[in-house]
Structures are given as structure tokens and as C-alpha cells.
Amino acid sequence: MLIGELSRRSGVSERLLRYYERMELIHSERRANGYREYDDRTVDTVRRIRALLAAGLPTRIIRQALPCTFDEATLRPCPGVLTSLRDQLNVLDRRAADLEAACRLLRRTIAATENAAN
């Protein structure tokens, strides 16, 4: 299928599909006219990529984990993938803690500003 069809079937823009290809997440064959030709299975691959992105994974980890996917939420054991996933979870936990601290500070600032206005 051509990129337009892949875009329509996956719900992902052509621009983003080209990005996924540059990041080596999906692959195409080139026709003689230069058009990209994708396998039908690429639709499922794009869905897996979207699910992994939604889980907070960067493309470098997705590239590593993608060959290990059964479906959008299940991975089979692959060398190094579990370690990468745990490392990414630690990154997200730290970000969540930083955001929570920022929220607490903002709440205190709002409360102090409201009290000063009264």
C-alpha cells in the first residue's frame, strides 16, 4: 500500500509516517517511481508505535522494543528491553515527582496571592 493508504488506515499523518521511517520504526520498499510501498502489517506496527508513544516511551526505546511486541500492550522478553523499560519508568517517575512539586508550589502561590488580596 502507498503512504496515503497507510495514513488513512492507521489514522496517522503521512508526515508522521515519514518520521517513523526516518527513525527506523517502520520500513518501506521503493517503487521504480520512488513511491513508498508498505506491507499490510505496517498498519498494526503503526498502532503499536502509537501505543508505546502513549506509554511515554521515546522512539529510541520503541525501536528496541518494537520487535518484541505481541500487540499494543504486551511484549515478549527480548535482551535489554526490560532494562530500558524500567529505566524509562524511573525517568517518568522523576518527572511526575517534579510536576507534583511544581503543582504544590503553584497552589501555595495562588493561596498566598488570594490571601494577600483579601
Side-chain angles (χ1 to χ4, degrees):
M1 86 185 84
L2 297 179
I3 195 167
E5 168 113 5
L6 177 58
S7 175
R8 185 183 60 72
R9 288 178 55 191
S10 67
V12 173
S13 72
E14 291 180 24
R15 181 173 177 242
L16 198 48
L17 292 170
R18 285 190 285 279
Y19 171 75
Y20 291 167
E21 192 163 358
R22 278 194 314 277
M23 295 294 104
E24 300 177 0
L25 301 176
I26 61 174
H27 306 282
S28 67
E29 298 294 324
R30 290 289 184 152
R31 290 182 170 181
N33 61 7
Y35 288 10
R36 290 173 170 90
E37 179 87 27
Y38 295 94
D39 186 278
D40 286 340
R41 293 173 296 187
T42 307
V43 175
D44 290 331
T45 301
V46 170
R47 288 185 181 133
R48 289 178 178 131
I49 292 166
R50 301 299 296 163
L52 293 168
L53 285 167
L57 296 177
T59 55
R60 68 177 170 74
I61 294 177
I62 292 173
R63 186 173 34 257
Q64 180 185 13
L66 205 53
C68 306
T69 59
F70 281 126
D71 56 35
E72 293 176 12
T74 309
L75 298 173
R76 62 183 162 78
C78 289
V81 172
L82 192 54
T83 299
S84 294
L85 294 175
R86 285 187 176 129
D87 290 346
Q88 185 61 24
L89 181 58
N90 288 333
V91 168
L92 293 175
D93 283 342
R94 284 192 300 276
R95 279 191 204 156
D98 290 346
L99 284 172
E100 183 56 39
C103 287
R104 283 192 305 272
L105 178 60
L106 187 54
R107 285 186 191 101
R108 284 195 309 267
T109 302
I110 290 170
T113 302
E114 288 174 340
N115 289 338
N118 294 329

